[in-house]
Each structure stands twice: as C-alpha cells, then as structure tokens.
Amino acid sequence: MIGALAGVLLTTGDPLSTRILASLGMGLSIGGLGGAFSLLPTTFRLGREMQTPGRTFNQRERRTILRAVYSGRPIEPRDSDLALPARESARVASTTLPVTLAQTLLLFAGIGGPQLLNLLRDDAWSAGFSRIFVAAIIVACVGFSISFRRNIRGARRYLAASSER
C-alpha cells in the first residue's frame, strides 16, 4: 500500500497510464523487496534443515536421494541406507521449496517493479532496456515457477508413495 500510495503521490498531474504504472511499480518494489527480506530468517532456518538429511553421504548418494525425491519415485528397498534420509529429505523439501519459491518471486517483483514506469518513456534506450529487463524477469519467474512446482510435486508424491507402504 505504501508503494502504491507513493506512486500516486509522485505522479500527480501525469497521464493515467503513467500513474497506474508508477503505482504498480512502486508497490511491487516496496512490497516485493519487503516480502523477500521478511522471509530471510525462515529461509535460513529451513536451509539448514534441508541440508541435514544428506550430510553423512557423499555427493553421488546425495544426488541419488534428490533425484528420487524430485521424481517422486521412492528408493527401494524401503529399509535401505538411502530410503530413510530420502523420506526425510522429501518431507523437508515439501515444506522449504514453497517458501523459497515465494521468496524468489517476491525478489523478482521487487527488482522489476521500478522498471515499469520506464516502459512508457519516449527515450528509446531507457524504454528499450526496461522492456528487455522486465521481459527477462518475467521469463525467469515463469522458469523458476515451473521448476520449483515440479520439484514440490515430486517431493509430495515421494512422501505419499513412501507412506503408503
């Protein structure tokens, strides 16, 4: 709200499209960065928890666990040395990845928000840069969202499949 209000107050007398983009840009900037930074303590806590299940394994075993978790296919046999840490890793991933995705999207919104006002400028360089920058941020947001959602679904499928047995 503060960002949107600042956008309206800073663009009084400008055309409606400029005022809307300024309000949206300031709102995204302040809200996105504020939200991303407010999730930092949670992300740090969950990041340590995410690393705990695989600390005693070598790189190949950790990679095997993560592939199994993100693909949603439980490790067989169920009582193997890798099956229990994989289940724990799936539990942790299903709770940490949504928070990490939210923080990433908020950070991208906070970074891209200030560029929205420049989209309508007459200056070719400034408007061109802003258009490319905003387009790149949108593509990155879509890519991150698809990747994170796939991993979250895989971790949840892993938990469901390993608890069925």
Side-chain angles (χ1 to χ4, degrees):
M1 290 303 293
I2 293 171
L5 183 62
V8 169
L9 293 177
L10 291 175
T11 58
T12 55
D14 288 335
L16 181 63
S17 59
T18 303
R19 291 173 56 191
I20 289 172
L21 282 179
S23 299
L24 184 63
M26 293 291 283
L28 284 173
S29 177
I30 292 173
L33 291 176
F37 287 126
S38 72
L39 288 174
L40 274 178
T42 304
T43 305
F44 286 143
R45 234 184 356 254
L46 292 175
R48 283 194 306 264
E49 190 176 330
M50 183 73 174
Q51 294 173 355
T52 302
R55 282 198 176 152
T56 60
F57 298 107
N58 63 33
Q59 183 67 26
R60 194 180 107 256
E61 292 169 331
R62 276 184 266 170
R63 195 175 316 123
T64 302
I65 288 172
L66 285 179
R67 282 186 185 152
V69 167
Y70 292 152
S71 69
R73 289 184 226 116
I75 295 176
E76 296 292 338
R78 203 173 151 190
D79 58 347
S80 70
D81 292 339
L82 295 179
L84 289 175
R87 179 164 165 64
E88 180 64 17
S89 183
R91 184 192 66 77
V92 171
S94 68
T95 57
T96 59
L97 289 178
V99 173
T100 306
L101 174 61
Q103 183 180 28
T104 303
L105 294 178
L106 285 169
L107 184 62
F108 282 153
I111 292 170
Q115 295 299 320
L116 291 182
L117 185 59
N118 294 335
L119 294 176
L120 298 178
R121 287 212 167 168
D122 292 334
D123 179 20
W125 190 89
S126 178
F129 173 79
S130 293
R131 289 174 186 148
I132 292 170
F133 189 74
V134 169
I137 284 183
I138 290 171
V139 168
C141 285
V142 169
F144 274 103
S145 296
I146 291 170
S147 176
F148 272 78
R149 292 292 301 157
R150 187 183 69 236
N151 290 343
I152 292 166
R153 278 193 308 271
R156 290 178 179 165
R157 273 195 320 264
Y158 189 96
L159 278 176
S162 66
S163 64
E164 286 176 358
R165 301 170 190 197

